[in-house]
Amino acid sequence: MPTTEIGYNSKIEGEVIHTKLDAAVNWFRTNSLWPMPMGLACCAIELMAAGASRFDISRFGMEVMRFSPRQSDVMIVAGTVTYKMALAVRRIYEQMTEPKWVVAMGACASTGGMYRSYAVLQGVDNIVPVDVYIAGCPPRPEALLDGLMKLQSKVSRERGFTEFVDSVKQNVAAIRGKPEPEPVA
């Protein structure tokens, strides 16, 4: 009876994997998102719980919570953003390296929540572009994990890494004073 090979067999395929550059880069990015936690209120407790062993955010490659904007690529805004704090949130967002994504966690970060006052920003999307909104007051850690999985799905569908490389080449050529030839389609 003939046996059926299932999975990767290095004797058949060799040691070469064929894929598109965008697909490979997006797979790397999808599985290595490093969050920058902006815990501003009670939603931050739920964010901390998502990193605990019961919910285990590390299953998704996000266990490396970085408190330095230059080492992170996902800002999780968890809680009420006041106008006084808005400038700091914006500054930290601007210091993050490209590509970067933002998650608004909770009703307060998404819409200002129950606070309709002169001191509370009515949605963090007024100062930074938001990619994923997570509802709840406060949202459960499961909701955060679901939102992060939606962000992973969004990152895996992104296109443009090769276009980014081409634009960098053109910028470098412009700095050097030589025009870079246009890429052939």
Side-chain angles (χ1 to χ4, degrees):
M1 179 190 239
T3 60
T4 305
E5 299 272 346
I6 297 175
Y8 178 76
N9 186 342
S10 63
K11 294 179 183 174
I12 296 172
E13 286 97 6
E15 296 183 11
V16 177
I17 297 174
H18 297 279
T19 186
K20 295 179 181 178
L21 182 60
D22 282 336
V25 169
N26 288 342
W27 184 81
F28 298 145
R29 286 180 181 164
T30 298
N31 294 303
S32 63
L33 295 173
W34 289 2
M36 166 73 194
M38 288 295 300
L40 303 172
C42 48
C43 289
I45 302 300
E46 301 297 321
L47 174 61
M48 289 181 236
S53 60
R54 180 172 182 182
F55 302 103
D56 197 17
I57 198 171
S58 63
R59 291 179 291 166
F60 306 103
M62 299 179 199
E63 73 275 8
V64 184
M65 292 277 186
R66 294 295 183 182
F67 293 92
S68 169
R70 291 175 183 89
Q71 296 178 350
S72 58
D73 49 12
V74 177
M75 176 185 281
I76 302 175
V77 181
T80 310
V81 182
T82 61
Y83 283 107
K84 194 173 192 178
M85 195 64 192
L87 296 174
V89 171
R90 178 71 184 176
R91 185 178 316 123
I92 290 171
Y93 174 79
E94 290 171 352
Q95 290 175 356
M96 291 171 63
T97 57
E98 290 289 339
K100 53 190 169 186
W101 301 276
V102 177
V103 175
M105 181 179 176
C108 293
S110 299
T111 63
M114 63 187 131
Y115 304 107
R116 302 277 186 251
S117 73
Y118 64 91
V120 176
L121 184 68
Q122 299 300 304
V124 74
D125 54 357
N126 290 320
I127 56 171
V128 294
V130 175
D131 297 291
V132 176
Y133 295 90
I134 301 171
C137 183
R140 297 272 310 139
E142 295 94 341
L144 174 62
L145 294 178
D146 182 59
L148 292 174
M149 287 190 295
K150 285 181 177 32
L151 180 64
Q152 282 182 323
S153 173
K154 180 178 182 176
V155 170
S156 69
R157 291 188 312 267
E158 284 187 356
R159 298 183 190 265
F161 182 74
T162 52
E163 296 163 3
F164 171 74
V165 170
D166 291 338
S167 70
V168 168
K169 286 180 183 177
Q170 289 177 354
N171 290 340
V172 168
I175 291 170
R176 291 182 181 162
K178 297 184 235 175
E180 181 74 21
E182 290 295 319
V184 178

